[in-house]
Amino acid sequence: MLITCPYCGPRDVSEFTYQGDGNRTRPDPDSTDLGAWNRYVYDRVNIAGEHNEIWQHSGGCRMHIAITRSTTTHKISSVRAMRDAGPGAGQ
Ligand SMILES: [Zn+2]
């Protein structure tokens, strides 16, 4: 699988590290709602289809990138730098 890093261009997936689900919304850091923190840390959705993910180009420029990838075909439909992904992306 190739991932196109916004800075380096197309690179083999072995240069990247999966950093997690890009769909989660992090609770307010001051929140004491243990249920919200528990859901943030442990709840995962295992979908078949388009999935938002966070990867890091750990073997290259070390940029964190937001990817939309099909979990059934591995086709990547969107790649953008986390700093450009907008509010709420990858929290
Ligand atoms: Zn890179």
Side-chain angles (χ1 to χ4, degrees), residues 31-54:
S31 171
T32 58
D33 181 351
L34 294 181
W37 282 106
N38 191 57
R39 287 186 295 278
Y40 174 71
V41 173
Y42 295 109
D43 286 359
R44 298 290 184 269
V45 178
N46 188 17
I47 61 169
E50 295 280 307
H51 188 245
N52 295 318
E53 302 173 339
I54 301 167

Side-chain angles (χ1 to χ4, degrees), residues 47-91:
I47 61 169
E50 295 280 307
H51 188 245
N52 295 318
E53 302 173 339
I54 301 167
W55 290 73
Q56 182 183 22
H57 194 188
S58 51
C61 66
R62 307 196 59 78
M63 177 186 289
H64 284 86
I65 56 179
I67 289 177
T68 302
R69 178 182 66 89
S70 170
T71 58
T72 56
T73 64
H74 299 292
K75 182 176 185 276
I76 296 172
S77 58
S78 172
V79 177
R80 58 212 178 278
M82 286 297 294
R83 66 175 177 259
D84 299 332
Q91 289 186 350

